[in-house]
Amino acid sequence: MQIETLLAQAGMRRDPATGSLSVPIYQTATFSHPALGKSTGYDYSRSGNPTRAALESVMAEMDGGAQSCAFASGLAALDATLRVLPAGTRLVVSEDPYGGTVRLVEHFFRQCGLEPVYVDTANTRLVARVLKKGRVSAVLLEIPTNPLLRVADVRALAQLAHQYGALLIVDNTFLTPYLFRPLDHGADIAVYSATKYLGGHNDVVAGIATAKSGEWGEKLAYTQNATGAPLGAQDSWLLLRGLKTLAVRLERQQDNAMRVARFLETHPHVRRVYYPGLRASPGRRRLSRQSRGYGAMVSFEVDRVERVSSILSEVRVFSFAESLGGVESLITYPIVQTHANMDSALCARLGINDRLLRLSVGIESSHDLIHDLSRVLS
């Protein structure tokens, strides 16, 4: 079946006893056993829950993987993924990732013996140089990166990583399996903050990790159970409900994002626009070869820092809030919100400065979104 059909029917036909179209919410901590030595397949909800199992089955099928595991947040999914890497090795990381990724890697995994090496993963040659030096257990990249929306060649990096015995882990939060399936391009594990587009309504916090092979799937499932950060039944159901409209939401959001980006591109008070769908974007051709769309995230730099405060306080259609991917449009100030934990010198070099704003474009009228930005920019 096409992915639109899989999404629309996410979680259906999971209750043969009643024929319920919606998978039931198994709000239970434990399950009774029919007899000694016998099990229904479920014993304790940390180890497995039917509602979460329905979600994980849908995600594995959408990603084209052997197994998916649902976690209490995107960072919990990434944490479980990085725990499978051996200590004493190096981890190549996109140099402009989500700030929470930097915090997790620097303050926890570095202490556990994993050495992060930050590289522009959109530059395949730079990644190759690090891999050639040895001791790299994995490459972790975002596509596109957050908030500068750089685009990596996933297939080329997968081939390189495997050549040197490393895994390729792709944070696919911005594109989702609807637009791009990293595992089809050679990635070993895809991770998501499911809070974002997969949920789509800013009403659930969740994470997903999908492994291409059964071996890595079993390792993720073991870690999920052992560390105790699985997604609960209620949130699993909310995520299944969100998935049903992912295709139609993203199509509308992408169309709106393109219109907003084109407007910003011509505005006299905007110095630079980051959106891979624009013709001037350096990542446009590369993403076109890999993905069926460009996503709905737009970043832009205004001409003067003095404009930022008034923009954030005076928007009426956009909401000044963290997160992204919901039906509602949000505006974020990365340097003091999502990327506050990043090194200031690195931020300055990359262009994550005090004039940069990030938009998560929703499903509202594009006319209203553009009018809102036009008003506050002027």
Side-chain angles (χ1 to χ4, degrees), residues 6 51 102 129 140 173 180 204 208 217 255 277 286 290 293 308 310 315 325:
L6 292 173
T51 313
V102 176
R129 288 180 194 172
L140 169 62
T173 297
F180 178 62
V204 61
I208 300 286
D255 181 68
R286 178 175 284 176
Q290 301 179 89
V308 171
S310 62
V315 285

Side-chain angles (χ1 to χ4, degrees), residues 208-229:
I208 300 286
T210 304
K212 186 172 185 176
S213 72
E215 175 189 0
W216 288 107
E218 289 176 7
K219 290 181 179 181
L220 285 174
Y222 180 85
T223 306
Q224 178 194 45
N225 183 46
T227 57

Side-chain angles (χ1 to χ4, degrees), residues 321-356:
E322 295 191 40
S323 198
L324 57 100
V327 294
E328 312 91 347
S329 293
L330 305 180
I331 185 167
T332 301
Y333 193 31
I335 200 165
V336 299
Q337 291 179 290
T338 57
H339 290 70
N341 290 294
M342 282 186 64
D343 178 73
S344 57
L346 175 61
C347 285
R349 180 174 66 81
L350 294 175
I352 305 174
N353 56 42
D354 56 6
R355 300 182 306 279
L356 185 73

Side-chain angles (χ1 to χ4, degrees), residues 88-302:
T89 60
R90 306 165 82 201
L91 172 68
V92 176
V93 187
S94 296
E95 67 177 357
D96 61 322
Y98 166 53
T101 298
V102 176
R103 181 176 60 235
L104 178 65
V105 170
E106 288 293 333
H107 294 279
F108 293 92
F109 284 97
R110 185 183 285 277
Q111 295 178 15
C112 296
L114 197 64
E115 179 189 345
V117 181
Y118 298 95
V119 180
D120 178 6
T121 48
N123 189 326
T124 306
R125 290 182 180 179
L126 291 180
V127 178
R129 288 180 194 172
V130 179
L131 286 165
K132 288 177 182 177
K133 294 179 181 178
R135 293 196 309 109
V136 175
S137 58
V139 176
L140 169 62
L141 63 88
E142 294 179 355
I143 183 166
T145 57
N146 179 7
L148 301 178
L149 303 170
R150 295 175 175 178
V151 180
D153 186 334
V154 174
R155 191 177 299 278
L157 291 180
Q159 292 172 350
L160 264 176
H162 297 159
Q163 179 183 341
Y164 291 95
L167 295 174
L168 181 66
I169 303 166
V170 178
D171 185 330
N172 194 36
T173 297
F174 280 13
L175 295 180
T176 81
Y178 175 67
L179 296 179
F180 178 62
R181 302 209 317 177
L183 305 187
D184 289 350
H185 293 255
D188 299 286
I189 300 175
V191 294
Y192 302 88
S193 172
T195 309
K196 313 305 193 295
Y197 290 100
L198 298 180
H201 294 80
N202 287 317
D203 57 8
V204 61
V205 176
I208 300 286
T210 304
K212 186 172 185 176
S213 72
E215 175 189 0
W216 288 107
E218 289 176 7
K219 290 181 179 181
L220 285 174
Y222 180 85
T223 306
Q224 178 194 45
N225 183 46
T227 57
L231 192 63
Q234 178 77 31
D235 287 345
S236 295
W237 185 87
L238 284 170
L239 195 50
L240 277 166
R241 185 184 65 171
L243 286 174
K244 291 176 180 292
T245 59
L246 174 62
V248 291
R249 284 188 283 107
L250 259 180
E251 290 293 348
R252 175 61 176 257
Q253 286 170 294
Q254 284 191 117
D255 181 68
N256 279 352
M258 181 67 82
R259 293 170 187 267
V260 167
R262 286 174 175 165
F263 159 74
L264 291 170
E265 196 177 30
T266 61
H267 199 282
H269 296 317
V270 175
R271 292 180 56 179
R272 187 168 183 180
V273 180
Y274 299 89
Y275 182 63
L278 293 174
R279 292 190 180 277
S281 171
R284 185 177 189 272
R285 291 182 63 185
R286 178 175 284 176
L287 194 56
S288 297
R289 293 195 301 266
Q290 301 179 89
S291 172
R292 65 193 288 179
Y294 304 107
M297 298 299 299
V298 179
S299 296
F300 67 100
E301 184 181 319
V302 293

